[in-house]
Amino acid sequence: MSILDEHNFPFCVTAHAFNRDKTQVAVCPNSNEVHIYTRSGAVWTAAHVLREHDLLVTSIDWAPQTNRIVTCSQDKNAYVWTFDAAGAAWKPTLVHLRLQRAATQARWSPQENKFAVASGDKCVAVCYFGEDNDWWVSKHLKRPIASTVLCVAWHPNNVLLACGGTDMKARVLSAYIKGVDEKPAATAWGERLPFNTLCGEFESPAGGWVHSIAFSPDGDSVAFVTHDSSLTVASPATGSVVSVRSNGLPFVTLVWPDTRTIVAAGHDCAPVVFTADGTSWRAAKRLGEDEMLRRSAAASPSNSNSAFNMFRQMDSRSQPAKSGSGDGSLKSVHQNTISEMHLDPAGNTAEVTTIGLDGKLVQWSLRA
Amino acid sequence: SAAVRAAISRGNSLEALEKALSEPPYGRGMEAAQSANAQLVSEILMATRAQDIGSVVGDLSDDDQDVLLKYIYHGLAHPAEFNCGVLLSWHERVVESGGLGSVVRVMADRRTV
């Protein structure tokens, strides 16, 4: 569990997405713009700025195979951006979302012919390209969602969609679009599922908003993190809903890289790796803290000003000198809430990337 | 609650707590039951010796610890009726064991006691 790469942006990063080989990253600097950075050697340089939204961009997703970016924003719109090699710029295409409230998250489906946009309008808009009008059209998943949807995740079969939101329930619905999807094979969630069929509804024991949701790699289980500081994993095949309490602050994002590993991160500023433990899950390790210990240990012998700093800090903050990180920084790599975590777009199950409100973009390796 | 009082008089705080914390009276219209139960829990907390608090908290299950913390916050919200000093010393031990996550769960859970 080492840090592969760490970059400091001079702004809070609220959304990010990598292209397939991680040579480019699209980030939202907590504004209505999307900045695309390219990697040259070990340095990220700003390449493009995508300016089309009027309000805060809430989510960015980059389709690895087709190289299209979908962005959605609080201005009730979403755009699909395609790269025009001739003009060397990203061209936006408006998506006909028909939302009355802000869009909260957008995710491409595994085959990249559809994407889902979660919104505050108590619905999820499933969008596909309508050839006759030459723009993206949407169908809304409404029943039985009762409140703002905060997160969506696609099942590997391109048809089932998991969503969770502020009504404190996580649901699995069918997003089958006639004409775009072929009839899917039967899964643990059911068979012959027309659009908007409810395949499962789950909640965590103490309730709380569902911040993030993900299917297992084989699609047979769904995991979600809620504001009551817990991770819940539901498997319809065995009928089990297992909830793992955490001692820290709530998680806001999670990924499920392989069948025995779930990684969650959030207000505690460090990703926590959960491993399968029989039928349940347990927190195995927190990423990055030994790396920070190594860094502070390396720094202190050569830090000849440490006594000066200690008394200066006691003076300015009226705090007694603390052992360890006396300058008020956290033990973890991220110094503020981790806002989003993604899997590697090329499918490498050993790597995840995180962004935080401290402006850091960190790429982690889950192998020791 | 007779069994609970018997356990208190025997000095067995763990058993008393486990009985009092099981099946909390959640729900609307249960205010009378909730305040009666809170008083009962508070009696147990005050009857426990300070040096025993740590071991009793450690022996409680995770669910019971969360429910206990709900009662502690209920008591702290009504300082006129409860002994907040005792509650605070219990709070320290429960949060040592359950972490900030257990406090978040008290705040997030709609089922209040």
Side-chain angles (χ1 to χ4, degrees):
Chain A
M1 18 147 219
S2 56
I3 299 167
L4 295 171
D5 188 59
E6 190 184 326
H7 179 82
N8 286 304
F9 288 104
F11 42 70
C12 288
V13 191
T14 48
H16 80 300
F18 278 90
N19 68 344
R20 182 169 43 165
D21 46 10
K22 298 219 289 226
T23 51
Q24 294 189 52
V25 66
V27 292
C28 170
N30 202 20
S31 75
N32 61 336
E33 299 174 347
V34 174
H35 294 202
I36 299 194
Y37 282 74
T38 37
R39 193 190 189 106
S40 37
V43 172
W44 290 97
T45 45
H48 304 101
V49 177
L50 277 45
R51 275 188 205 95
E52 201 73 28
H53 285 291
D54 301 319
L55 293 175
L56 179 73
V57 173
T58 45
S59 179
I60 310 171
D61 200 19
W62 199 319
Q65 309 298 331
T66 51
N67 206 40
R68 287 185 291 213
I69 299 179
V70 63
T71 58
C72 71
S73 150
Q74 286 177 355
D75 64 359
K76 313 182 239 176
N77 281 334
Y79 289 95
V80 174
W81 303 79
T82 39
F83 191 62
D84 177 25
W90 288 88
K91 293 272 181 290
T93 315
L94 180 61
V95 178
H96 194 219
L97 276 182
R98 300 175 287 126
L99 292 177
Q100 304 300 323
R101 295 283 182 275
T104 51
Q105 196 174 81
R107 290 285 178 262
W108 284 104
S109 69
Q111 289 170 21
E112 295 167 27
N113 51 0
K114 302 188 291 189
F115 58 91
V117 181
S119 98
D121 211 5
K122 304 193 257 193
C123 73
V124 177
V126 180
C127 306
Y128 55 98
F129 196 67
E131 295 292 350
D132 31 340
N133 284 337
D134 200 32
W135 66 351
W136 293 83
V137 289
S138 66
K139 279 188 84 164
H140 287 188
L141 286 167
K142 275 194 174 302
R143 286 177 291 107
I145 300 173
S147 183
T148 300
V149 184
L150 292 174
C151 53
V152 285
W154 286 94
H155 187 281
N157 72 0
N158 211 59
V159 170
L160 292 169
L161 187 70
C163 60
T166 57
D167 57 356
M168 309 193 218
K169 301 256 196 298
R171 298 184 176 89
V172 176
L173 300 161
S174 160
Y176 171 80
I177 308 268
K178 204 164 70 155
V180 177
D181 288 317
E182 292 166 11
K183 290 236 171 357
T187 63
W189 299 95
E191 51 177 78
R192 236 175 311 130
L193 306 164
F195 190 76
N196 210 175
T197 315
L198 180 67
C199 306
E201 189 172 286
F202 312 100
E203 57 178 355
S204 78
W209 290 4
V210 179
H211 286 297
S212 190
I213 194 165
F215 276 101
S216 58
D218 54 14
D220 285 339
S221 308
V222 72
F224 52 98
V225 282
T226 46
H227 204 73
D228 63 344
S229 289
S230 68
L231 162 73
T232 310
V233 183
S235 309
T238 54
S240 76
V241 179
V242 174
S243 213
V244 181
R245 266 173 248 255
S246 150
N247 272 5
L249 295 174
F251 298 117
V252 267
T253 177
L254 92 159
V255 291
W256 198 331
D258 61 59
T259 37
R260 303 189 60 77
T261 319
I262 295 181
V263 188
H267 293 290
D268 246 353
C269 311
V272 178
V273 179
F274 288 85
T275 46
D277 187 9
T279 48
S280 179
W281 296 77
R282 59 175 179 85
K285 53 195 177 196
R286 292 168 67 95
L287 299 182
E289 289 186 341
D290 47 352
E291 167 71 28
M292 292 304 279
L293 277 175
R294 223 178 300 149
R295 283 186 200 175
S296 58
S300 42
S302 56
N303 190 356
S304 54
N305 287 335
S306 56
F308 175 79
N309 280 339
M310 185 179 85
F311 286 110
R312 181 175 61 160
Q313 191 215 331
M314 281 171 74
D315 184 34
S316 64
R317 295 194 187 183
S318 66
Q319 272 171 3
K322 285 190 224 170
S323 59
S325 60
D327 56 0
S329 60
L330 296 174
K331 277 190 303 186
S332 51
V333 176
H334 277 283
Q335 297 298 307
N336 204 328
T337 304
I338 293 177
S339 43
E340 223 186 20
M341 181 159 55
H342 276 314
L343 290 169
D344 182 82
N348 183 345
T349 58
E351 290 183 13
V352 292
T353 60
T354 57
I355 43 152
L357 297 182
D358 55 352
K360 281 194 205 260
L361 167 72
V362 184
Q363 298 179 39
W364 307 85
S365 163
L366 298 177
R367 306 273 176 269
Chain B
S1 59
V4 175
R5 284 182 212 285
I8 298 177
S9 57
R10 269 191 310 233
N12 192 340
S13 293
L14 179 63
E15 197 189 316
L17 262 185
E18 281 171 349
K19 285 200 171 60
L21 294 175
S22 63
E23 295 174 6
Y26 294 136
R28 265 184 254 171
M30 301 287 277
E31 282 84 26
Q34 286 172 0
S35 55
N37 217 2
Q39 289 291 352
L40 186 60
V41 172
S42 161
E43 271 181 44
I44 308 174
L45 299 188
M46 289 197 287
T48 320
R49 286 180 307 185
Q51 60 255 48
D52 289 341
I53 297 179
S55 61
V56 172
V57 168
D59 288 337
L60 284 174
S61 70
D62 286 342
D63 286 331
D64 283 345
Q65 278 184 21
D66 281 353
V67 179
L68 175 59
L69 199 56
K70 285 186 193 175
Y71 278 112
I72 292 176
Y73 275 101
H74 177 115
L76 289 172
H78 301 95
E81 300 152 27
F82 293 87
N83 182 338
C84 290
V86 166
L87 289 176
L88 279 175
S89 53
W90 277 87
H91 182 277
E92 185 191 349
R93 290 311 188 120
V94 177
V95 172
E96 227 177 77
S97 161
L100 288 174
S102 52
V103 178
V104 172
R105 270 185 285 282
V106 173
M107 305 283 162
D109 203 335
R110 287 284 197 79
R111 306 167 301 182
T112 51
V113 68

